[in-house]
Amino acid sequence: MKMSFLKLICILLCLCTITFILCACHNESDEDILKTGHYFISSNEDYGFGTTPCIYINTTENTFDISRGTLYSYAEIGNFEIDNNALTATTQNTTFTFTIKDSNTLILVENHEFFELPENATFIYSEDMR
């Protein structure tokens, strides 16, 4: 009886250890790295209501769009990939490269002068539409 109880305890400990190791090896998904939603440019310039450049990121579908503001009818739409802390967004017309500072902040590294955005423009996640 004692021997089978000890075997059962050993098996349970092994299963717990394996489960712990597998949970520790969890890879972050794009949803863990960034939030789905709008990221607005943060700058000293006063763009005005609805004309603040913004990006919309959908982490479930890996899609994005970038526009000069929520009131503009034109936006570049495409897909993105994340490699380490770099987000590369590709549209039919251009490619944007961002550094992911944290889950709330993107820094534009390369935009091929598409929207005449300032160098190293910082985009901050916002739950509010501007």
Side-chain angles (χ1 to χ4, degrees):
M1 178 81 172
K2 278 187 171 183
M3 193 58 137
S4 53
F5 180 73
L6 286 175
K7 285 182 181 179
L8 179 62
I9 294 294
C10 286
I11 291 171
L12 287 174
L13 284 174
C14 288
L15 288 173
C16 288
T17 302
I18 291 170
T19 304
F20 177 75
I21 289 171
L22 291 176
C23 289
C25 293
H26 168 73
N27 290 331
E28 288 185 345
S29 70
D30 294 343
E31 293 180 46
D32 296 333
I33 297 169
L34 292 174
K35 297 177 182 178
T36 292
H38 286 90
Y39 292 75
F40 291 91
I41 195 168
S42 170
S43 73
N44 294 333
E45 187 174 336
D46 183 19
Y47 287 99
F49 178 78
T51 60
T52 303
C54 66
I55 303 166
Y56 180 78
I57 302 270
N58 182 331
T59 57
T60 331
E61 298 175 7
N62 280 21
T63 59
F64 83 99
D65 64 66
I66 184 169
S67 72
R68 294 179 191 224
T70 54
L71 293 181
Y72 289 93
S73 62
Y74 180 77
E76 280 291 311
I77 299 170
N79 298 310
F80 71 86
E81 294 179 356
I82 295 177
D83 185 23
N84 292 324
N85 283 343
L87 180 142
T88 304
T90 307
T91 70
Q92 185 175 355
N93 297 316
T94 192
T95 300
F96 300 91
T97 306
F98 299 89
T99 297
I100 302 169
K101 184 175 179 183
D102 55 44
S103 64
N104 293 318
T105 312
L106 294 170
I107 300 170
L108 182 64
V109 178
E110 197 172 357
N111 74 343
H112 304 283
E113 300 175 13
F114 189 74
F115 282 141
E116 299 175 15
L117 295 170
E119 188 175 325
N120 295 321
T122 301
F123 288 82
I124 308 291
Y125 174 80
S126 175
E127 293 181 8
D128 299 327
M129 295 290 293
R130 292 190 210 175

